[in-house]
Amino acid sequence: MRPASDARTIDLVTLGENSLDFVAVAGADRAVASKQRLRAFDMLPGGQTATAAVAGARLGLRARYVGAFGDDEWGRRSRAALGGAGVDVVAVEHHDVPSRIAVVIVNPDGDRHVLEHRDVRLRIDPIPDGAIETARVLVVDATDVTAAQVAARRARAAGVPVIVDVDRVDDQVDALLDLIDVIVAPVSFLDAATGASEPGTALERLAARYRSASAIIATLGDEGSLARTQEGREIRTRAYRVDVVDTTGAGDAFRGGLAAAWVRLDAAAPLEDILRYANATAALNCRAVGAQTALPTWAEVEGLVTKGGG
C-alpha cells in the first residue's frame, strides 16, 4: 500500500455522503405505553465520507470533501460543519432539493439505529476539474455510485489510490469495486456479497473476484477488523477498548484513520500498523454522541496505539 506522491496539494479527498443527523439518545428507563424518555436530543453533522474527511483533518491531513447539498438550512449546517473542521468543501449545489438527513436513535448501550432520507436528485455531478487529481488518497462511498465510478477512474488516471466504503450489493457497486485499491466493508456486506457467513472465507472470495484491490478489509465492530491481501495474507486487528457512548460514525472514522495512517506513517509501514491506527480512530470516536463529535487527534490515536489495550 503506497499513497501518491508527497508533491500532491491535498492529502485526502473524500466523495460521497454528507448528512445532518437528528440524534435521539434513549434513556435507560423502560418504555411505557410505547413511549420512552429521551436523555438527549441534538442536530449534529454526519454522513459517511463527510465524516471520513473530518476525521482526516482532525488527524492532521489536508482534507477535501466533494459532495451534493440542497439549498436549505440542513445543507448549510452540514457544509458549515465541514468548513469549521478545516475541510476544503467542493459543493455541488441543488436548488429546490432537500439535503440528506438522518434520524439516529442511540440506545443506552451505545448501539444505534439509523433512519435516513436522501432525495434521488442529490447527484454529485459535475465533479469539478482538479477536485480529485491533486489528492494523495481518495475515499468514495457507494451512495452515488455513478459519481464514485467517475471519481475512481479519474483518480486512477492520475495515479491516486482509491479506498471505498461499501455497504450494499448491486451491479453498479460490483462495477465500482473493479476500480478500487482498498475495499473496506462492514461484516454484513460480506455475507450479502459472497454467501459466506465466515468472514475469512468471504474475504478470500472477494479477493479472488476483485484482483485490482491490494487489500480487502472487513470492519467487525467491537471485534476489530479482518483484512486479506492479494498475496493471501490474513491480518486480524483487535478493537481498542473505550467507554462507548455512541457507535455512530465508527466505521467512517475507521476509514479516515486508515487514510491518515497510510499518508502519515513511513512509506514502508506494514498494513498491520496502518490497521492499528484505523481501529484506534474508530474506537476513540465512540466516546461521545454523534458521528463527528469525538473524532480524535493524531496524538490521541498514537497514544492509544502505543498504550495498547486492544
Side-chain angles (χ1 to χ4, degrees):
M1 292 175 62
R2 296 287 175 87
S5 165
D6 286 339
R8 306 282 175 152
T9 59
I10 292 288
D11 295 314
L12 169 66
V13 171
T14 74
L15 180 145
E17 193 72 277
N18 66 80
S19 177
L20 184 64
D21 293 347
F22 296 79
V23 183
V25 183
D29 54 323
R30 295 178 61 183
V32 178
S34 300
K35 296 180 181 179
Q36 187 170 359
R37 292 183 185 275
L38 291 180
R39 182 166 58 84
F41 179 81
D42 207 345
M43 289 185 291
L44 299 169
Q48 292 163 264
T49 49
T51 299
V54 175
R58 195 75 56 84
L59 293 168
L61 300 190
R62 300 163 296 178
R64 171 180 293 155
Y65 168 75
V66 183
F69 297 85
D71 58 346
D72 52 19
E73 181 61 24
W74 297 341
R76 286 188 286 274
R77 281 176 176 261
S78 295
R79 187 168 173 178
L82 285 158
V87 175
D88 176 47
V89 180
V90 176
V92 178
E93 297 179 329
H94 294 267
H95 299 293
D96 299 320
V97 178
S99 296
R100 195 265 197 184
I101 60 99
V103 175
V104 182
I105 302 170
V106 182
N107 297 322
D109 63 359
D111 199 6
R112 85 284 187 267
H113 184 68
V114 180
L115 305 171
E116 60 183 358
H117 179 264
R118 185 179 196 278
D119 194 292
V120 295
R121 294 171 292 174
L122 282 174
R123 297 297 183 192
I124 309 172
D125 180 38
I127 302 170
D129 292 341
I132 305 297
E133 291 80 1
T134 56
R136 295 182 68 192
V137 179
L138 170 67
V139 175
V140 300
D141 63 28
T143 301
D144 184 341
V145 183
T146 299
Q149 289 175 344
V150 170
R153 290 191 186 98
R154 283 172 49 175
R156 285 204 150 191
V160 178
V162 187
I163 299 171
V164 71
D165 171 3
V166 60
D167 56 8
R168 65 187 180 88
V169 180
D170 60 37
D171 290 343
Q172 274 194 307
V173 169
D174 186 63
L176 171 63
L177 296 184
D178 279 328
L179 304 170
I180 300 301
D181 297 285
V182 178
I183 297 171
V184 185
V187 67
S188 57
F189 172 84
L190 303 185
D191 190 359
T194 68
S197 58
E198 197 282 311
T201 302
L203 288 178
E204 182 179 4
R205 292 180 183 178
L206 289 172
R209 186 186 307 173
Y210 303 111
R211 295 198 172 275
S212 63
S214 61
I216 302 177
I217 305 164
T219 54
L220 308 177
D222 61 5
E223 295 182 14
S225 62
L226 182 66
R228 184 181 179 88
T229 69
Q230 278 298 344
E231 295 77 28
R233 283 199 308 134
E234 188 174 278
I235 304 166
R236 182 175 292 276
T237 309
R238 294 183 299 168
Y240 292 88
R241 302 303 171 194
V242 300
D243 292 330
V244 174
V245 175
D246 179 9
T247 59
T248 304
D252 311 327
F254 179 96
R255 290 152 183 81
L258 181 76
W262 194 357
V263 169
R264 294 198 55 162
L265 295 182
D266 183 270
L271 181 57
E272 290 90 333
D273 289 349
I274 292 172
L275 288 169
R276 289 189 189 99
Y277 277 76
N279 275 276
T281 304
L284 290 168
N285 194 44
C286 296
R287 298 171 295 174
V289 173
Q292 300 174 13
T293 309
L295 286 168
T297 64
W298 183 256
E300 288 177 306
V301 172
E302 277 197 316
L304 186 57
V305 170
T306 301
K307 179 177 141 182

